[in-house]
Amino acid sequence: MKTTALHDVHIEMGAKMTEFAGFHMPLWYKGIVEEHMAVRKSVGVFDVSHMGDILVEGKDATEYLSYILPSDFSKIEVGKATYTAFINHRGILIDDTIVTKLGEDRYLVVPNAATTDLIYHWMFSLSGGYDLSLQNISSEFSSIAVQGPNAEKVLQEIVEEDLSKLGFFHAANVTLKGIKIKENILSGDKAYLSRTGYTGEDGFEFVVPNENIVELWKKVLEVGEKYGIEPCGLGARDTLRLEKGFLLSGQDFHPHEEPRTPLEAGISWVIDWDHEFLSKDVLLKIKEEKKYELFRGIILKERGIPRHGFLIYKDGEKIGHITSGTMSPVLKVGIGLGYVKRPYIKVGTEVLVEIRGRKVKAEISKPRMVK
Amino acid sequence: MRMIPEDLKYTKTHEWVKVEGNKVRMGITYHAQEQLHDIVYVELPEVDTEVSKGDTLGVIESVKAASDFYAPVSGKVVAVNNEVADQPELLNQDPYKNWLVEIEMSNPDELNELLSPEEYKKLLEEES
């Protein structure tokens, strides 16, 4: 099993560990609910080093990425991070990702852990004829996410630059107080910091050389102490994103097991239709037909927890299925995400979820179930 | 031995069993609730259900996952503890006080197949 540079620290700190995407990662430290609420109310820190890091550089980088992804990077300013998705020739999602424009001809692509090698090969296979270089730097860099309403206050004690000036989904190379960052290919002798995350709260993500991550992790926990910072595991990461309706690659969509277009997955907003990109024709046709199922939130009205694979019914007919589910720590009811047929996608539609043979009352919601 | 009371019997699937005449009360062990953590949902069987040793009796769900619990002996379900269905966190607070199901045994000889506190302790050591 693969490990991150923080692995021994997690063990020392008593984390309950699990396997995820081939990595031995913390599932929780004190408990999923406690960590979840720390992030919603104050601040938490996550090891997200399992996520990939691919550098794209060269004079054709903008043109290339704007073709292989549905976003048009020629319209995007330097320093901006963009949530987007890899789609195949049939318009099916392979992975969702954040692409940051580091310079006019320079980008950082962050795929999911389980898909990083696949995405790297996919990008390579589509790079013929373009003047650019691709580098998978995932194994040399580590990442932590500091998330929650107090994330800025915590990090401002470590970062020299004024963080109130770093906008949502923007990135910068920053100087850290008391931590000397090893000279590196991504951000020179500084730390790469973006105002991004997967929790639906304000928050930041660092990418730094492996050699610096233990010191940074400890420093964040130390200065965050007065805000009640909690180290958080993948359990809270999952429940936090679920309440906000964020997709989990490989679970809410998967090229083979759950083949979905970005239209079905509810992220059609990542598509810039005013430019040419891979599979545009296929997606345009699907968009115009408007027959596709849609990604929805499902909130239970009775006791129970929807889980991956459970079926959704209306008037005795199967109308969809759950792809992710949990007990919502904020709403304190079972919630799920999944795909629902038209015309049952309307918010407030009463449905039934089958839980181990029992039909439980539920209601269709927007994917974002917690405001 | 605080976590493995001496007056109970145990299963390999981390249930505890308390014998009271021809009936048993069962629940999940301290170790089981510790592993599950954050228990948020409990599904109990219907009273009068006939069960065989090893059958799924119900489901306990943590935030992260659902886990079945099993009948430690064969017989008929004569009572269930609805208090834990209403307040699943009771299982985290005191898994030995908060029982789940009471079964009237059809074959009391099966009790001999259950683990003693000493044997259960050994099992936990092997699993860790």
Side-chain angles (χ1 to χ4, degrees):
Chain A
M1 219 182 310
K2 288 187 268 190
T3 55
T4 72
L6 283 167
H7 179 262
D8 293 352
V9 176
H10 299 315
I11 303 284
E12 263 170 46
M13 291 176 65
K16 160 102 174 160
M17 303 295 282
T18 188
E19 196 207 326
F20 179 76
F23 283 84
H24 198 221
M25 297 294 288
L27 180 58
W28 46 263
Y29 290 83
K30 284 188 184 167
I32 294 173
V33 176
E34 194 170 342
E35 292 162 24
H36 182 110
M37 295 315 289
V39 172
R40 286 275 180 261
K41 288 180 174 161
S42 183
V43 60
V45 57
F46 303 76
D47 179 10
V48 291
S49 305
H50 57 311
M51 304 286 286
D53 308 282
I54 297 171
L55 264 183
V56 185
E57 294 177 288
K59 76 175 180 58
D60 293 340
T62 301
E63 187 194 339
Y64 161 77
L65 288 173
S66 303
Y67 177 68
I68 69 164
L69 294 163
S71 316
D72 185 352
F73 293 95
S74 69
K75 295 176 191 162
I76 290 167
E77 73 206 80
V78 171
K80 181 90 177 75
T82 303
Y83 175 77
T84 186
F86 286 95
I87 44 185
N88 67 19
H89 295 86
R90 293 175 296 118
I92 299 297
L93 287 165
I94 307 170
D95 198 14
D96 59 350
T97 186
I98 290 177
V99 177
T100 306
K101 193 163 183 168
L102 304 172
E104 281 305 334
D105 301 325
R106 198 159 179 267
Y107 294 84
L108 175 67
V109 177
V110 176
N112 283 281
T115 43
T116 296
D117 289 344
L118 174 79
I119 290 299
Y120 183 66
H121 288 118
W122 174 253
M123 290 178 77
F124 191 81
S125 74
L126 294 169
S127 65
Y130 292 100
D131 183 357
L132 55 84
S133 74
L134 295 172
Q135 281 174 276
N136 184 355
I137 58 169
S138 308
S139 62
E140 298 149 49
F141 287 83
S142 297
S143 309
I144 58 169
V146 183
Q147 302 280 303
N150 285 324
E152 185 185 309
K153 284 183 202 150
V154 171
L155 291 194
Q156 195 59 77
E157 298 196 21
I158 304 174
V159 175
E160 295 279 2
E161 291 80 358
D162 181 1
L163 287 179
S164 68
K165 299 214 167 78
L166 185 66
F168 183 60
F169 264 71
H170 279 76
N173 295 333
V174 297
T175 307
L176 302 181
K177 296 171 188 167
I179 298 178
K180 194 175 165 359
I181 297 293
K182 188 189 161 199
E183 185 74 29
N184 68 86
I185 189 172
L186 173 66
S187 49
D189 60 357
K190 294 187 171 187
Y192 174 85
L193 182 68
S194 61
R195 197 162 200 150
T196 51
Y198 192 44
T199 61
E201 300 299 331
D202 187 20
F204 299 82
E205 291 174 297
F206 278 109
V207 182
V208 298
N210 292 341
E211 291 81 356
N212 293 118
I213 199 67
V214 171
E215 195 181 359
L216 179 58
W217 169 267
K218 288 184 173 167
K219 186 100 181 174
V220 167
L221 283 174
E222 185 191 310
V223 300
E225 205 179 339
K226 60 177 170 290
Y227 298 99
I229 197 168
E230 292 293 343
C232 303
L234 293 180
R237 187 168 160 83
D238 191 46
T239 54
L240 286 158
R241 69 92 193 172
L242 237 155
E243 286 186 338
K244 297 287 181 177
F246 299 152
L247 295 162
L248 174 57
S249 176
Q251 184 163 311
D252 296 318
F253 63 85
H254 182 282
H256 309 297
E257 286 155 30
E258 189 67 60
R260 296 290 174 177
T261 65
L263 302 166
E264 292 170 289
I267 54 166
S268 56
W269 53 272
V270 307
I271 303 169
D272 183 337
W273 296 102
D274 296 331
H275 84 299
E276 290 310 310
F277 59 91
L278 186 76
S279 82
K280 181 182 177 182
D281 295 350
V282 185
L283 287 176
L284 208 52
K285 192 162 167 279
I286 296 168
K287 185 189 172 208
E288 280 159 8
E289 284 174 358
K290 217 174 180 182
K291 284 182 186 159
Y292 55 86
E293 297 183 354
L294 196 62
F295 193 59
R296 300 273 80 180
I298 295 100
I299 301 176
L300 264 55
K301 297 288 164 197
E302 295 178 281
R303 215 179 258 171
I305 303 172
R307 301 285 185 188
H308 183 82
F310 287 8
L311 302 180
I312 307 167
Y313 291 87
K314 174 81 182 172
D315 304 327
E317 188 200 342
K318 190 200 142 198
I319 60 149
H321 65 269
I322 304 285
T323 51
S324 291
T326 189
M327 173 66 78
S328 162
V330 168
L331 302 177
K332 298 192 166 51
V333 295
I335 60 168
L337 292 168
Y339 293 92
V340 177
K341 279 185 195 165
R342 292 169 192 276
Y344 306 106
I345 59 173
K346 209 175 150 239
V347 171
T349 304
E350 288 179 6
V351 297
L352 296 170
V353 177
E354 187 175 350
I355 299 180
R356 296 177 289 271
R358 198 166 52 95
K359 296 241 171 59
V360 175
K361 283 184 192 156
E363 193 178 282
I364 299 296
S365 152
K366 285 184 178 172
R368 181 180 286 255
M369 291 171 279
V370 169
K371 294 280 175 295
Chain B
M1 290 300 280
R2 181 169 64 90
M3 309 308 182
I4 308 174
E6 284 294 338
D7 58 334
L8 303 176
K9 290 183 175 292
Y10 298 88
T11 67
K12 286 178 183 164
T13 44
H14 308 286
E15 289 93 5
W16 57 260
V17 177
K18 186 172 191 185
V19 184
E20 290 168 337
N22 65 336
K23 292 180 195 164
V24 300
R25 270 194 176 178
M26 62 78 58
I28 59 165
T29 64
Y30 184 91
H31 175 79
Q33 67 77 31
E34 194 180 37
Q35 290 298 305
L36 286 163
H37 214 268
D38 289 325
I39 294 172
V40 290
Y41 179 76
V42 177
E43 195 171 285
L44 297 168
E46 304 267 337
V47 171
D48 287 341
T49 308
E50 296 280 347
V51 294
S52 298
K53 179 179 151 75
D55 283 357
T56 298
L57 262 189
V59 181
I60 296 177
E61 297 199 40
S62 65
V63 174
K64 189 76 194 144
S67 312
D68 291 344
F69 62 93
Y70 305 97
V73 292
S74 305
K76 188 168 85 173
V77 174
V78 288
V80 296
N81 184 3
N82 284 313
E83 210 185 341
V84 294
D86 292 335
Q87 289 171 273
E89 65 276 14
L90 289 175
L91 289 179
N92 288 127
Q93 288 160 12
D94 190 343
Y96 295 114
K97 184 177 151 227
N98 295 291
W99 58 281
L100 293 167
V101 179
E102 199 172 275
I103 299 170
E104 194 176 84
M105 290 181 282
S106 57
N107 180 9
D109 287 349
E110 286 172 349
L111 290 175
N112 299 327
E113 297 161 30
L114 297 174
L115 305 178
S116 68
E118 200 50 42
E119 288 166 328
Y120 183 61
K121 191 184 169 202
K122 228 174 262 168
L123 178 83
L124 291 188
E125 283 163 1
E126 282 162 16
E127 282 186 2
S128 67

